[in-house]
C-alpha cells in the first residue's frame, strides 16, 4: 500500500526517532509499503518519519541512479536502528540533493563522504560496514531524518533565504505533488 509522504513543516520530521524491537507490529508489511511508496514517488531512499512514524527504519534502493553511477546498480538496503559515524579522514564533496518531503527543491550539500554504519537488516541480523561516494550521501541524508534533521539544515543561511518562499509554500500547503502527501498541521 502506498503511504502519504509527510512534508516539511510537519513536526514528525523534527522529532528524534527511537529504536524498534523484533516484536514491532507489522514490520514486514510496513517495509513493503515503504519500498512501494519510495518506488512510486521516484525516490531512492525513504525514512520512517517521512511516512509519519518516529521509528528508526530506512529503506534505500539506489538502482535508478545507476545510469550515471554504475556502482549503485542493485544497491538495496533496509536499515533498522542504524548508528552512523562520519569518518573525518574522508574527502568532503558538494553535490545536489533533493527530498520527497521538500518537493520542488534541490540544493547543493557539502558532506564528508566516508562513514561507518552499523545496522540491523529486516531479520535483525547485525551489519557493520564503511561506505563512501554517493551511497554514503544517501545514507547520511536518510539518517538525518531519524535525527529530526532535513538536508536543507546543512545549507548556508544565504541559500536558505533564497528558497524561503518555496519553503513557506510547502509549510503552508501551497505545493502540488504527483504523490500523496500530508501537510503540516495549520498554525493557529
Ligand atoms: Ni529526505
Amino acid at each position: 500500500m502506498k503511504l502519504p509522504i509527510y512534508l516539511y513543516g510537519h513536526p514528525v520530521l523534527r522529532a528524534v526517532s527511537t529504536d524498534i524491537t523484533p516484536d514491532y507490529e507489522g514490520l514486514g508489511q510496513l517495509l513493503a509499503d515503504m519500498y512501494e511508496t519510495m518506488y512510486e514517488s521516484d525516490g531512492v531512499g525513504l525514512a520512517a518519519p517521512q511516512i509519519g512514524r518516529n521509528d528508526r527504519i530506512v529503506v534505500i534502493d539506489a538502482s535508478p541512479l545507476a545510469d550515471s553511477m554504475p556502482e549503485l546498480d542493485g544497491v538495496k538496503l533496509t536499515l533498522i536502528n542504524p548508528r552512523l559515524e562520519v569518518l573525518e579522514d574522508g574527502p568532503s564533496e558538494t553535490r545536489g540533493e533533493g527530498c520527497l518531503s521538500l518537493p520542488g527543491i534541490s540544493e547543493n550539500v557539502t558532506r564528508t563522504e566516508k562513514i561507518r554504519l552499523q545496522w540491523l537488516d529486516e531479520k535483525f541480523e547485525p551489519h557493520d560496514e564503511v561506505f563512501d561516494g554517493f551511497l554514503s550521501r544517501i545514507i547520511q541524508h536518510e539518517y538525518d531524518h531519524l535525527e529530526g534533521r532535513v538536508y536543507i539544515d546543512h545549507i548556508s543561511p544565504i541559500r536558505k533565504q533564497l528558497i524561503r518562499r518555496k519553503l513557506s509554500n510547502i509549510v503552508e500547503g501551497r505545493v502540488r505533488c504527483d504523490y500523496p502527501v500530508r501537510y503540516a498541521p495549520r498554525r493557529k
Side-chain angles (χ1 to χ4, degrees):
M1 186 179 66
K2 200 168 150 184
L3 307 168
I5 306 268
Y6 285 62
L7 295 190
Y8 179 76
H10 198 291
V12 75
L13 295 175
R14 288 307 191 184
V16 176
S17 292
T18 51
D19 280 348
I20 68 164
T21 54
D23 59 0
Y24 188 90
E25 183 81 24
L27 180 62
Q29 186 60 49
L30 177 67
L31 291 172
D33 290 346
M34 286 179 70
Y35 274 107
E36 182 182 346
T37 303
M38 176 179 72
Y39 291 133
E40 297 272 320
S41 320
D42 293 324
V44 294
L46 186 70
Q50 294 182 277
I51 47 106
R53 293 183 186 227
N54 283 123
D55 298 321
R56 298 185 81 87
I57 306 171
V58 165
V59 298
I60 291 171
D61 190 336
S63 304
L65 302 174
D67 281 350
S68 52
M69 292 173 263
E71 72 277 13
L72 297 180
D73 191 31
V75 171
K76 192 172 166 180
L77 285 170
T78 301
L79 308 178
I80 307 281
N81 304 344
R83 291 286 175 271
L84 184 149
E85 180 191 353
V86 176
L87 301 174
E88 298 295 344
D89 60 328
S92 174
E93 302 279 354
T94 302
R95 301 219 220 182
E97 294 187 26
C99 181
L100 295 173
S101 296
L102 289 133
I105 295 176
S106 174
E107 288 291 316
N108 282 327
V109 179
T110 302
R111 296 186 191 266
T112 302
E113 286 187 349
K114 188 177 172 190
I115 57 166
R116 178 185 177 194
L117 190 75
Q118 296 170 283
W119 76 99
L120 305 173
D121 61 25
E122 62 279 4
K123 299 185 188 95
F124 282 80
E125 301 286 342
H127 299 263
D128 186 341
E129 279 183 46
V130 171
F131 293 94
D132 58 15
F134 205 80
L135 179 57
S136 157
R137 177 174 295 270
I138 297 171
I139 294 168
Q140 291 185 58
H141 176 117
E142 300 309 329
Y143 190 85
D144 273 348
H145 282 301
L146 303 183
E147 295 293 314
R149 296 189 294 259
V150 291
Y151 78 97
I152 57 158
D153 297 345
H154 300 290
I155 70 176
S156 71
I158 294 166
R159 278 306 310 170
K160 204 158 178 183
Q161 182 67 20
L162 288 170
I163 60 168
R164 189 173 46 123
R165 174 64 68 84
K166 284 184 179 175
L167 291 174
S168 62
N169 283 344
I170 298 173
V171 172
E172 287 157 28
R174 292 193 304 265
V175 66
R176 287 174 63 88
C177 272
D178 48 15
Y179 44 88
V181 295
R182 286 270 187 281
Y183 298 107
R186 292 241 169 247
R187 276 179 287 185
K188 299 259 162 47

